[in-house]
């Protein structure tokens, strides 16, 4: 039986023509059941440009962050496979197919696209500073989380709907660190990720701030490690958690917003 695929594209201030081209490429290569664009703080022109395109657009009037947007999109999907792709199209549609395929054929429950894998094809490199920051962060994440990946932050991942149902309540990071937390918590729950080399091209229009985002990721990495250790039964981390104010998970926050 063929498994249905849903794709979420989180977008903030996208280059609309590029996004539309990417949307059509995803349809041509994957034939997904649905593509859902989670659009933060759009202007009228962006909304108008997407009005007749083959996608569902969920627009909100504020910037939620990448993780919150993807979580909202995943919660709205009813497909067997949930995937996301960054709106800048840095990972082309044929590579998204490669990322989704291990979930479709049942090889794994979580597939992680990787631009740092030795078999990845990088068409256009980041600046030297961004590359060093990214490589250093990946090394730190591998060390602290004990998850042997080359790349935690590539904007292409897919997860089985059953695994998502288990992982969703353990995700708290609303921004770019959501990727790290997804991988960390899934691995802690026994869903070992499969890393898929992709073709990747740096996009100069990206809204990522190299230094600011790296600092955010570093702090979030420590929080993710703490949650992993707590989930694995560490008495120290459970004690630390008991002394802190309880935060709502992303899905609980979404539920609270819906109830308002």
């Amino acid at each position: 039986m063929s498994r249905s695929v849903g794709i979420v594209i989180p977008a903030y201030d996208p280059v609309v023509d590029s996004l539309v081209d990417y949307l059509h490429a995803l349809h041509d290569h994957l034939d997904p059941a649905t593509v859902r664009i989670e659009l933060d703080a759009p202007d009228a022109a962006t909304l108008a440009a997407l009005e007749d395109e083959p996608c569902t657009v969920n627009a909100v009037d504020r910037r939620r962050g990448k993780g919150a947007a993807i979580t909202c999109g995943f919660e709205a999907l009813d497909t067997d496979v949930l995937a996301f792709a960054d709106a800048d199209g840095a990972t082309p549609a044929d590579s998204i197919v490669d990322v989704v395929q291990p979930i479709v054929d049942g090889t794994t429950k979580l597939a992680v696209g990787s631009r740092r894998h030795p078999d990845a094809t990088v068409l256009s490199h980041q600046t030297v500073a961004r590359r060093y920051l990214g490589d250093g962060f990946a090394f730190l994440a591998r060390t602290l989380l004990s998850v042997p990946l080359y790349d935690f932050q590539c904007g292409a991942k897919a997860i089985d709907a059953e695994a998502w149902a288990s992982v969703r309540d353990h995700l708290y990071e609303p921004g770019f660190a959501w990727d790290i937390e997804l991988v960390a918590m899934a691995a802690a729950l026994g869903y070992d990720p499969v890393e898929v080399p992709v073709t990747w091209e740096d996009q100069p229009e990206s809204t990522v701030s190299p230094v600011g985002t790296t600092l955010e990721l570093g702090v979030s990495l420590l929080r993710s490690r703490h949650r992993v250790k707590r989930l694995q039964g560490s008495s120290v981390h459970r004690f630390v958690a008991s002394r802190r104010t309880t935060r709502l998970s992303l899905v609980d926050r979404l539920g609270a917003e819906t109830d308002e």
Side-chain angles (χ1 to χ4, degrees), residues 122-141:
V122 179
L123 300 178
S124 175
H125 285 282
Q126 297 171 316
T127 63
V128 173
R130 286 183 66 180
R131 214 180 315 163
Y132 275 115
L133 285 170
D135 290 345
F137 176 79
F139 170 79
L140 190 61

Side-chain angles (χ1 to χ4, degrees), residues 198-209:
V198 299
T199 298
W200 189 80
E201 184 171 7
D202 186 44
Q203 299 299 312
E205 300 90 356
S206 172
T207 58
V208 177
S209 167

Side-chain angles (χ1 to χ4, degrees), residues 218-238:
V219 173
S220 299
L221 175 58
L222 295 176
R223 287 199 293 255
S224 294
R225 182 177 185 273
H226 163 66
R227 294 187 187 115
V228 166
K229 294 296 184 181
R230 183 183 63 188
L231 185 63
Q232 292 174 335
S234 166
S235 58
V236 172
H237 287 271
R238 286 187 172 181

Side-chain angles (χ1 to χ4, degrees), residues 4 6 27-28 43 63 66 88 95 109 121 127 135 139 148 155 168 171 179 188 199 203 210 222 228 230 254 257 259:
S4 59
H27 275 285
D28 290 343
D43 56 26
R63 189 173 185 182
K66 175 184 175 180
D88 61 9
S95 282
K109 298 290 187 180
T121 300
T127 63
D135 290 345
F139 170 79
R168 61 192 285 276
L171 303 178
D179 293 69
T199 298
Q203 299 299 312
L222 295 176
V228 166
R230 183 183 63 188
L254 288 171
E257 290 171 3
D259 292 340

Side-chain angles (χ1 to χ4, degrees), residues 2-8 23 26-37 53-56 76-83 100 104:
S2 178
R3 308 190 73 206
S4 59
V5 176
I7 301 174
V8 170
L23 175 64
L26 289 170
H27 275 285
D28 290 343
H29 284 79
L30 281 95
D31 190 25
T34 184
V35 176
R36 182 181 177 93
I37 297 178
E53 297 300 330
C55 62
T56 298
L77 296 179
D78 59 2
T79 52
D80 301 311
V81 180
L82 316 176
V100 168
V104 172

Side-chain angles (χ1 to χ4, degrees), residues 11-168:
Y12 170 72
D13 193 23
V15 178
V16 178
D17 289 344
S18 297
L19 176 56
V20 169
D21 289 344
Y22 192 44
L23 175 64
H24 285 275
L26 289 170
H27 275 285
D28 290 343
H29 284 79
L30 281 95
D31 190 25
T34 184
V35 176
R36 182 181 177 93
I37 297 178
E38 289 288 338
L39 192 57
D40 285 5
D43 56 26
T46 299
L47 289 172
L50 295 172
E51 187 174 1
D52 296 323
E53 297 300 330
C55 62
T56 298
V57 178
N58 179 43
V60 299
D61 60 4
R62 67 190 187 284
R63 189 173 185 182
R64 294 168 292 179
K66 175 184 175 180
I70 297 172
T71 298
C72 184
F74 277 10
E75 288 293 285
L77 296 179
D78 59 2
T79 52
D80 301 311
V81 180
L82 316 176
F84 81 85
D86 282 352
D88 61 9
T91 308
D94 54 354
S95 282
I96 302 297
V97 174
D98 294 337
V99 173
V100 168
Q101 192 57 47
I103 313 296
V104 172
D105 64 22
T107 302
T108 186
K109 298 290 187 180
L110 175 64
V112 177
S114 176
R115 66 212 149 158
R116 290 186 166 86
H117 191 282
D119 295 330
T121 300
V122 179
L123 300 178
S124 175
H125 285 282
Q126 297 171 316
T127 63
V128 173
R130 286 183 66 180
R131 214 180 315 163
Y132 275 115
L133 285 170
D135 290 345
F137 176 79
F139 170 79
L140 190 61
R142 282 195 300 273
T143 302
L144 292 180
L145 300 178
S146 299
V147 180
L149 298 181
Y150 291 99
D151 192 353
F152 291 78
Q153 290 299 115
C154 179
K157 292 180 176 65
I159 188 169
D160 178 86
E162 178 184 325
W164 172 252
S166 299
V167 174
R168 61 192 285 276

